[in-house]
Amino acid sequence: MKNKRYSYYERKINYYETDMMQVVHHSNYARYLEETRIDMLNFYGIPFDMFDEMGYVIPVLDLKCRFVESIRYGETVKIVPKLYKMTPIKFYFSYEIYDKSMTVLKHVAETSHCILDKEFKPVSLKRKEPELYEKMLAMLDEEDKND
């Protein structure tokens, strides 16, 4: 039996997230991606606050965005994340944001992250937290595990 996979994060756009044209302000996309990552990690039994409890922080190292179509106030979007690469120190997500029906692609993004201790030193999850590392590896799609 195949494991259940995370599918998407659904979110309704608030008025305060928009500009004068009622279009989502570009600064909010980073928040949407973070909400999605946290939701996905929770789905796989990795609550985000667990990293804090372990003494780790997860900075964003890189953020790439491509705006395909405007998202407006009142719309509901579905954000499809994918953990597509994992090393002992870094991990990489891609995202596609769709309209509610998932027929119109609105936005494409990628983020990269690492794990740091409280002194901001990189942490090898494979060495320091092997169980957590294995849990995160399980989030990869099968085709990505072979890369």
Side-chain angles (χ1 to χ4, degrees):
M1 181 173 163
K2 189 173 175 163
N3 292 340
K4 187 172 180 187
R5 304 296 300 169
Y6 184 87
S7 53
Y8 61 82
Y9 175 67
E10 186 170 307
R11 191 177 195 294
K12 187 170 177 125
I13 303 304
N14 298 300
Y15 183 78
Y16 67 84
E17 298 167 320
T18 64
D19 58 19
M20 289 181 63
M21 299 175 289
Q22 295 188 4
V23 170
V24 170
H25 189 270
H26 66 274
S27 64
N28 289 298
Y29 286 86
R31 289 182 178 100
Y32 301 160
L33 304 179
E34 180 178 273
E35 289 173 15
T36 302
R37 281 192 306 277
I38 290 171
D39 193 59
M40 184 181 189
L41 286 166
N42 284 332
F43 176 86
Y44 286 105
I46 307 169
F48 200 73
D49 55 354
M50 179 184 74
F51 290 99
D52 238 2
E53 293 165 6
M54 297 169 88
Y56 302 135
V57 293
I58 305 173
V60 174
L61 300 175
D62 190 40
L63 168 63
K64 296 177 187 171
C65 291
R66 184 167 54 90
F67 300 91
V68 179
E69 184 174 300
S70 295
I71 300 173
R72 300 179 179 276
Y73 164 66
E75 279 188 68
T76 297
V77 294
K78 292 181 178 174
I79 306 169
V80 180
K82 179 180 178 184
L83 178 66
Y84 70 89
K85 184 177 177 184
M86 178 97 189
T87 73
I89 295 174
K90 292 183 182 178
F91 51 100
Y92 304 80
F93 283 92
S94 63
Y95 313 81
E96 293 178 337
I97 302 178
Y98 292 92
D99 67 332
K100 188 174 184 170
S101 68
M102 294 190 70
T103 57
V104 178
L105 180 65
K106 302 279 195 164
H107 188 82
V108 178
E110 290 185 12
T111 58
S112 65
H113 309 265
C114 69
I115 307 278
L116 301 177
D117 63 19
K118 293 295 182 181
E119 286 76 46
F120 292 96
K121 302 275 192 259
V123 172
S124 168
L125 278 185
K126 187 175 185 178
R127 192 170 38 83
K128 292 274 217 170
E129 306 290 345
E131 287 179 27
L132 176 57
Y133 182 70
E134 289 301 318
K135 265 186 156 179
M136 290 186 72
L137 277 178
M139 293 169 56
L140 289 168
D141 286 335
E142 286 305 315
E143 66 267 13
D144 294 322
K145 288 181 184 177
N146 300 323
D147 287 348

mmCIF file of all heavy atoms in Angstrom, residues 36-69:
data_model
loop_
_atom_site.group_PDB
_atom_site.id
_atom_site.type_symbol
_atom_site.label_atom_id
_atom_site.label_comp_id
_atom_site.label_asym_id
_atom_site.label_seq_id
_atom_site.Cartn_x
_atom_site.Cartn_y
_atom_site.Cartn_z
ATOM 1 N N THR A 36 2.371 27.023 3.910
ATOM 2 C CA THR A 36 2.261 25.743 3.208
ATOM 3 C C THR A 36 3.306 24.754 3.715
ATOM 4 O O THR A 36 2.987 23.587 3.974
ATOM 5 C CB THR A 36 2.411 25.958 1.688
ATOM 6 O OG1 THR A 36 1.404 26.879 1.250
ATOM 7 C CG2 THR A 36 2.274 24.654 0.934
ATOM 8 N N ARG A 37 4.554 25.199 3.854
ATOM 9 C CA ARG A 37 5.613 24.310 4.364
ATOM 10 C C ARG A 37 5.264 23.787 5.751
ATOM 11 O O ARG A 37 5.410 22.594 6.034
ATOM 12 C CB ARG A 37 6.959 25.054 4.459
ATOM 13 C CG ARG A 37 7.687 25.221 3.183
ATOM 14 C CD ARG A 37 9.112 25.693 3.406
ATOM 15 N NE ARG A 37 9.247 26.892 4.215
ATOM 16 C CZ ARG A 37 9.119 28.138 3.765
ATOM 17 N NH1 ARG A 37 8.825 28.362 2.491
ATOM 18 N NH2 ARG A 37 9.286 29.164 4.568
ATOM 19 N N ILE A 38 4.803 24.679 6.622
ATOM 20 C CA ILE A 38 4.452 24.285 7.981
ATOM 21 C C ILE A 38 3.307 23.274 7.966
ATOM 22 O O ILE A 38 3.347 22.267 8.678
ATOM 23 C CB ILE A 38 4.107 25.524 8.835
ATOM 24 C CG1 ILE A 38 5.385 26.335 9.094
ATOM 25 C CG2 ILE A 38 3.434 25.119 10.149
ATOM 26 C CD1 ILE A 38 5.147 27.691 9.728
ATOM 27 N N ASP A 39 2.310 23.521 7.125
ATOM 28 C CA ASP A 39 1.179 22.594 7.020
ATOM 29 C C ASP A 39 1.640 21.232 6.509
ATOM 30 O O ASP A 39 1.215 20.185 7.014
ATOM 31 C CB ASP A 39 0.107 23.192 6.102
ATOM 32 C CG ASP A 39 -1.210 22.445 6.182
ATOM 33 O OD1 ASP A 39 -1.786 22.355 7.287
ATOM 34 O OD2 ASP A 39 -1.654 21.927 5.141
ATOM 35 N N MET A 40 2.515 21.234 5.515
ATOM 36 C CA MET A 40 3.022 19.981 4.955
ATOM 37 C C MET A 40 3.841 19.202 5.992
ATOM 38 O O MET A 40 3.679 17.991 6.140
ATOM 39 C CB MET A 40 3.864 20.271 3.716
ATOM 40 C CG MET A 40 4.366 19.033 3.012
ATOM 41 S SD MET A 40 5.367 19.518 1.567
ATOM 42 C CE MET A 40 5.583 17.936 0.785
ATOM 43 N N LEU A 41 4.727 19.898 6.702
ATOM 44 C CA LEU A 41 5.519 19.234 7.742
ATOM 45 C C LEU A 41 4.605 18.633 8.815
ATOM 46 O O LEU A 41 4.816 17.498 9.255
ATOM 47 C CB LEU A 41 6.515 20.209 8.362
ATOM 48 C CG LEU A 41 7.718 20.570 7.486
ATOM 49 C CD1 LEU A 41 8.444 21.786 8.032
ATOM 50 C CD2 LEU A 41 8.665 19.393 7.348
ATOM 51 N N ASN A 42 3.589 19.378 9.228
ATOM 52 C CA ASN A 42 2.632 18.858 10.214
ATOM 53 C C ASN A 42 1.953 17.595 9.690
ATOM 54 O O ASN A 42 1.764 16.632 10.432
ATOM 55 C CB ASN A 42 1.580 19.909 10.569
ATOM 56 C CG ASN A 42 2.113 20.971 11.504
ATOM 57 O OD1 ASN A 42 3.028 20.730 12.281
ATOM 58 N ND2 ASN A 42 1.552 22.158 11.416
ATOM 59 N N PHE A 43 1.582 17.601 8.422
ATOM 60 C CA PHE A 43 0.931 16.443 7.804
ATOM 61 C C PHE A 43 1.799 15.193 7.940
ATOM 62 O O PHE A 43 1.295 14.095 8.168
ATOM 63 C CB PHE A 43 0.655 16.738 6.323
ATOM 64 C CG PHE A 43 0.068 15.588 5.558
ATOM 65 C CD1 PHE A 43 -1.305 15.379 5.546
ATOM 66 C CD2 PHE A 43 0.877 14.711 4.850
ATOM 67 C CE1 PHE A 43 -1.855 14.318 4.834
ATOM 68 C CE2 PHE A 43 0.341 13.651 4.131
ATOM 69 C CZ PHE A 43 -1.033 13.458 4.131
ATOM 70 N N TYR A 44 3.103 15.365 7.803
ATOM 71 C CA TYR A 44 4.031 14.237 7.888
ATOM 72 C C TYR A 44 4.526 13.974 9.315
ATOM 73 O O TYR A 44 5.497 13.236 9.519
ATOM 74 C CB TYR A 44 5.209 14.444 6.936
ATOM 75 C CG TYR A 44 4.832 14.223 5.500
ATOM 76 C CD1 TYR A 44 4.668 15.295 4.630
ATOM 77 C CD2 TYR A 44 4.606 12.942 5.010
ATOM 78 C CE1 TYR A 44 4.308 15.087 3.306
ATOM 79 C CE2 TYR A 44 4.234 12.723 3.690
ATOM 80 C CZ TYR A 44 4.090 13.803 2.849
ATOM 81 O OH TYR A 44 3.721 13.600 1.538
ATOM 82 N N GLY A 45 3.865 14.568 10.292
ATOM 83 C CA GLY A 45 4.218 14.303 11.687
ATOM 84 C C GLY A 45 5.472 15.004 12.152
ATOM 85 O O GLY A 45 6.158 14.537 13.066
ATOM 86 N N ILE A 46 5.763 16.140 11.522
ATOM 87 C CA ILE A 46 6.933 16.936 11.899
ATOM 88 C C ILE A 46 6.438 18.337 12.262
ATOM 89 O O ILE A 46 6.501 19.253 11.448
ATOM 90 C CB ILE A 46 7.969 17.003 10.746
ATOM 91 C CG1 ILE A 46 8.323 15.599 10.244
ATOM 92 C CG2 ILE A 46 9.219 17.752 11.189
ATOM 93 C CD1 ILE A 46 9.132 15.586 8.956
ATOM 94 N N PRO A 47 5.903 18.498 13.476
ATOM 95 C CA PRO A 47 5.397 19.829 13.851
ATOM 96 C C PRO A 47 6.518 20.860 13.864
ATOM 97 O O PRO A 47 7.621 20.581 14.343
ATOM 98 C CB PRO A 47 4.804 19.629 15.244
ATOM 99 C CG PRO A 47 5.257 18.297 15.708
ATOM 100 C CD PRO A 47 5.777 17.528 14.541
ATOM 101 N N PHE A 48 6.236 22.010 13.311
ATOM 102 C CA PHE A 48 7.269 23.027 13.131
ATOM 103 C C PHE A 48 7.877 23.475 14.453
ATOM 104 O O PHE A 48 9.069 23.729 14.543
ATOM 105 C CB PHE A 48 6.690 24.220 12.364
ATOM 106 C CG PHE A 48 7.740 25.078 11.734
ATOM 107 C CD1 PHE A 48 8.428 24.637 10.612
ATOM 108 C CD2 PHE A 48 8.056 26.311 12.256
ATOM 109 C CE1 PHE A 48 9.416 25.416 10.027
ATOM 110 C CE2 PHE A 48 9.034 27.098 11.680
ATOM 111 C CZ PHE A 48 9.710 26.656 10.560
ATOM 112 N N ASP A 49 7.063 23.547 15.506
ATOM 113 C CA ASP A 49 7.588 23.991 16.800
ATOM 114 C C ASP A 49 8.566 22.985 17.396
ATOM 115 O O ASP A 49 9.339 23.302 18.297
ATOM 116 C CB ASP A 49 6.469 24.330 17.778
ATOM 117 C CG ASP A 49 5.475 23.208 17.986
ATOM 118 O OD1 ASP A 49 5.554 22.169 17.300
ATOM 119 O OD2 ASP A 49 4.591 23.384 18.837
ATOM 120 N N MET A 50 8.577 21.769 16.867
ATOM 121 C CA MET A 50 9.530 20.760 17.308
ATOM 122 C C MET A 50 10.970 21.215 17.042
ATOM 123 O O MET A 50 11.869 20.977 17.841
ATOM 124 C CB MET A 50 9.260 19.437 16.590
ATOM 125 C CG MET A 50 10.210 18.320 16.950
ATOM 126 S SD MET A 50 9.902 16.839 15.969
ATOM 127 C CE MET A 50 10.573 17.358 14.392
ATOM 128 N N PHE A 51 11.187 21.917 15.918
ATOM 129 C CA PHE A 51 12.530 22.402 15.594
ATOM 130 C C PHE A 51 13.001 23.383 16.664
ATOM 131 O O PHE A 51 14.145 23.341 17.094
ATOM 132 C CB PHE A 51 12.548 23.063 14.216
ATOM 133 C CG PHE A 51 12.367 22.084 13.093
ATOM 134 C CD1 PHE A 51 11.132 21.903 12.504
ATOM 135 C CD2 PHE A 51 13.434 21.342 12.625
ATOM 136 C CE1 PHE A 51 10.957 21.008 11.468
ATOM 137 C CE2 PHE A 51 13.277 20.432 11.584
ATOM 138 C CZ PHE A 51 12.029 20.259 11.007
ATOM 139 N N ASP A 52 12.090 24.261 17.083
ATOM 140 C CA ASP A 52 12.394 25.209 18.162
ATOM 141 C C ASP A 52 12.762 24.481 19.442
ATOM 142 O O ASP A 52 13.748 24.818 20.099
ATOM 143 C CB ASP A 52 11.171 26.091 18.422
ATOM 144 C CG ASP A 52 11.460 27.548 18.264
ATOM 145 O OD1 ASP A 52 12.599 27.907 17.918
ATOM 146 O OD2 ASP A 52 10.533 28.349 18.490
ATOM 147 N N GLU A 53 11.954 23.479 19.783
ATOM 148 C CA GLU A 53 12.195 22.704 21.002
ATOM 149 C C GLU A 53 13.537 21.978 20.949
ATOM 150 O O GLU A 53 14.168 21.755 21.977
ATOM 151 C CB GLU A 53 11.061 21.703 21.221
ATOM 152 C CG GLU A 53 9.736 22.357 21.545
ATOM 153 C CD GLU A 53 8.545 21.420 21.407
ATOM 154 O OE1 GLU A 53 8.741 20.204 21.170
ATOM 155 O OE2 GLU A 53 7.408 21.923 21.538
ATOM 156 N N MET A 54 13.978 21.621 19.753
ATOM 157 C CA MET A 54 15.264 20.929 19.582
ATOM 158 C C MET A 54 16.430 21.916 19.529
ATOM 159 O O MET A 54 17.588 21.507 19.476
ATOM 160 C CB MET A 54 15.232 20.094 18.291
ATOM 161 C CG MET A 54 14.202 18.987 18.314
ATOM 162 S SD MET A 54 13.979 18.232 16.685
ATOM 163 C CE MET A 54 15.250 16.976 16.751
ATOM 164 N N GLY A 55 16.125 23.211 19.512
ATOM 165 C CA GLY A 55 17.176 24.222 19.475
ATOM 166 C C GLY A 55 17.619 24.606 18.078
ATOM 167 O O GLY A 55 18.717 25.121 17.890
ATOM 168 N N TYR A 56 16.751 24.384 17.083
ATOM 169 C CA TYR A 56 17.102 24.671 15.697
ATOM 170 C C TYR A 56 16.229 25.781 15.116
ATOM 171 O O TYR A 56 15.091 25.971 15.520
ATOM 172 C CB TYR A 56 16.926 23.428 14.820
ATOM 173 C CG TYR A 56 17.744 22.237 15.251
ATOM 174 C CD1 TYR A 56 17.186 20.971 15.297
ATOM 175 C CD2 TYR A 56 19.084 22.375 15.604
ATOM 176 C CE1 TYR A 56 17.937 19.868 15.688
ATOM 177 C CE2 TYR A 56 19.839 21.280 15.998
ATOM 178 C CZ TYR A 56 19.257 20.034 16.037
ATOM 179 O OH TYR A 56 19.998 18.952 16.422
ATOM 180 N N VAL A 57 16.791 26.466 14.138
ATOM 181 C CA VAL A 57 16.038 27.435 13.337
ATOM 182 C C VAL A 57 16.196 27.028 11.869
ATOM 183 O O VAL A 57 17.166 26.351 11.504
ATOM 184 C CB VAL A 57 16.511 28.889 13.560
ATOM 185 C CG1 VAL A 57 16.202 29.346 14.976
ATOM 186 C CG2 VAL A 57 17.995 29.052 13.266
ATOM 187 N N ILE A 58 15.218 27.433 11.051
ATOM 188 C CA ILE A 58 15.217 27.057 9.634
ATOM 189 C C ILE A 58 15.107 28.320 8.789
ATOM 190 O O ILE A 58 14.009 28.762 8.457
ATOM 191 C CB ILE A 58 14.046 26.107 9.319
ATOM 192 C CG1 ILE A 58 14.078 24.899 10.241
ATOM 193 C CG2 ILE A 58 14.089 25.678 7.856
ATOM 194 C CD1 ILE A 58 12.880 24.004 10.099
ATOM 195 N N PRO A 59 16.236 28.922 8.433
ATOM 196 C CA PRO A 59 16.162 30.125 7.595
ATOM 197 C C PRO A 59 15.868 29.781 6.135
ATOM 198 O O PRO A 59 16.134 28.680 5.671
ATOM 199 C CB PRO A 59 17.559 30.725 7.732
ATOM 200 C CG PRO A 59 18.441 29.550 7.996
ATOM 201 C CD PRO A 59 17.603 28.583 8.809
ATOM 202 N N VAL A 60 15.306 30.766 5.455
ATOM 203 C CA VAL A 60 15.152 30.682 4.003
ATOM 204 C C VAL A 60 16.472 31.161 3.406
ATOM 205 O O VAL A 60 16.927 32.261 3.704
ATOM 206 C CB VAL A 60 13.978 31.571 3.512
ATOM 207 C CG1 VAL A 60 13.913 31.592 1.996
ATOM 208 C CG2 VAL A 60 12.665 31.095 4.105
ATOM 209 N N LEU A 61 17.079 30.321 2.594
ATOM 210 C CA LEU A 61 18.349 30.682 1.956
ATOM 211 C C LEU A 61 18.126 31.337 0.605
ATOM 212 O O LEU A 61 18.906 32.180 0.179
ATOM 213 C CB LEU A 61 19.221 29.433 1.767
ATOM 214 C CG LEU A 61 19.598 28.686 3.035
ATOM 215 C CD1 LEU A 61 20.348 27.407 2.680
ATOM 216 C CD2 LEU A 61 20.421 29.565 3.961
ATOM 217 N N ASP A 62 17.072 30.905 -0.070
ATOM 218 C CA ASP A 62 16.807 31.386 -1.419
ATOM 219 C C ASP A 62 15.308 31.348 -1.659
ATOM 220 O O ASP A 62 14.634 30.415 -1.208
ATOM 221 C CB ASP A 62 17.524 30.485 -2.424
ATOM 222 C CG ASP A 62 17.516 31.025 -3.833
ATOM 223 O OD1 ASP A 62 17.682 32.246 -4.012
ATOM 224 O OD2 ASP A 62 17.330 30.226 -4.768
ATOM 225 N N LEU A 63 14.797 32.353 -2.351
ATOM 226 C CA LEU A 63 13.383 32.421 -2.719
ATOM 227 C C LEU A 63 13.301 32.903 -4.154
ATOM 228 O O LEU A 63 13.822 33.969 -4.487
ATOM 229 C CB LEU A 63 12.626 33.382 -1.797
ATOM 230 C CG LEU A 63 11.214 33.805 -2.202
ATOM 231 C CD1 LEU A 63 10.275 32.613 -2.246
ATOM 232 C CD2 LEU A 63 10.693 34.859 -1.243
ATOM 233 N N LYS A 64 12.692 32.079 -5.000
ATOM 234 C CA LYS A 64 12.480 32.448 -6.401
ATOM 235 C C LYS A 64 10.982 32.417 -6.665
ATOM 236 O O LYS A 64 10.311 31.447 -6.333
ATOM 237 C CB LYS A 64 13.175 31.452 -7.333
ATOM 238 C CG LYS A 64 14.668 31.434 -7.212
ATOM 239 C CD LYS A 64 15.267 30.381 -8.104
ATOM 240 C CE LYS A 64 16.751 30.269 -7.831
ATOM 241 N NZ LYS A 64 17.339 29.131 -8.501
ATOM 242 N N CYS A 65 10.486 33.480 -7.294
ATOM 243 C CA CYS A 65 9.055 33.569 -7.584
ATOM 244 C C CYS A 65 8.832 33.949 -9.040
ATOM 245 O O CYS A 65 9.584 34.749 -9.596
ATOM 246 C CB CYS A 65 8.395 34.636 -6.712
ATOM 247 S SG CYS A 65 8.309 34.230 -4.976
ATOM 248 N N ARG A 66 7.783 33.377 -9.612
ATOM 249 C CA ARG A 66 7.347 33.788 -10.947
ATOM 250 C C ARG A 66 5.849 34.030 -10.873
ATOM 251 O O ARG A 66 5.069 33.132 -10.562
ATOM 252 C CB ARG A 66 7.663 32.723 -11.990
ATOM 253 C CG ARG A 66 7.307 33.189 -13.404
ATOM 254 C CD ARG A 66 7.896 32.307 -14.483
ATOM 255 N NE ARG A 66 7.571 30.900 -14.349
ATOM 256 C CZ ARG A 66 6.499 30.320 -14.897
ATOM 257 N NH1 ARG A 66 5.658 31.014 -15.620
ATOM 258 N NH2 ARG A 66 6.282 29.040 -14.722
ATOM 259 N N PHE A 67 5.459 35.259 -11.130
ATOM 260 C CA PHE A 67 4.055 35.650 -11.081
ATOM 261 C C PHE A 67 3.428 35.349 -12.433
ATOM 262 O O PHE A 67 3.816 35.928 -13.438
ATOM 263 C CB PHE A 67 3.937 37.137 -10.735
ATOM 264 C CG PHE A 67 4.547 37.465 -9.399
ATOM 265 C CD1 PHE A 67 5.884 37.838 -9.306
ATOM 266 C CD2 PHE A 67 3.804 37.366 -8.240
ATOM 267 C CE1 PHE A 67 6.459 38.120 -8.077
ATOM 268 C CE2 PHE A 67 4.374 37.645 -7.005
ATOM 269 C CZ PHE A 67 5.698 38.026 -6.920
ATOM 270 N N VAL A 68 2.470 34.436 -12.452
ATOM 271 C CA VAL A 68 1.859 34.002 -13.703
ATOM 272 C C VAL A 68 0.566 34.760 -13.953
ATOM 273 O O VAL A 68 0.334 35.282 -15.037
ATOM 274 C CB VAL A 68 1.597 32.474 -13.683
ATOM 275 C CG1 VAL A 68 0.937 32.002 -14.963
ATOM 276 C CG2 VAL A 68 2.901 31.717 -13.431
ATOM 277 N N GLU A 69 -0.290 34.818 -12.939
ATOM 278 C CA GLU A 69 -1.572 35.527 -13.047
ATOM 279 C C GLU A 69 -1.906 36.125 -11.688
ATOM 280 O O GLU A 69 -1.642 35.507 -10.654
ATOM 281 C CB GLU A 69 -2.677 34.558 -13.480
ATOM 282 C CG GLU A 69 -4.012 35.247 -13.694
ATOM 283 C CD GLU A 69 -5.061 34.305 -14.260
ATOM 284 O OE1 GLU A 69 -4.837 33.762 -15.353
ATOM 285 O OE2 GLU A 69 -6.113 34.145 -13.603
#
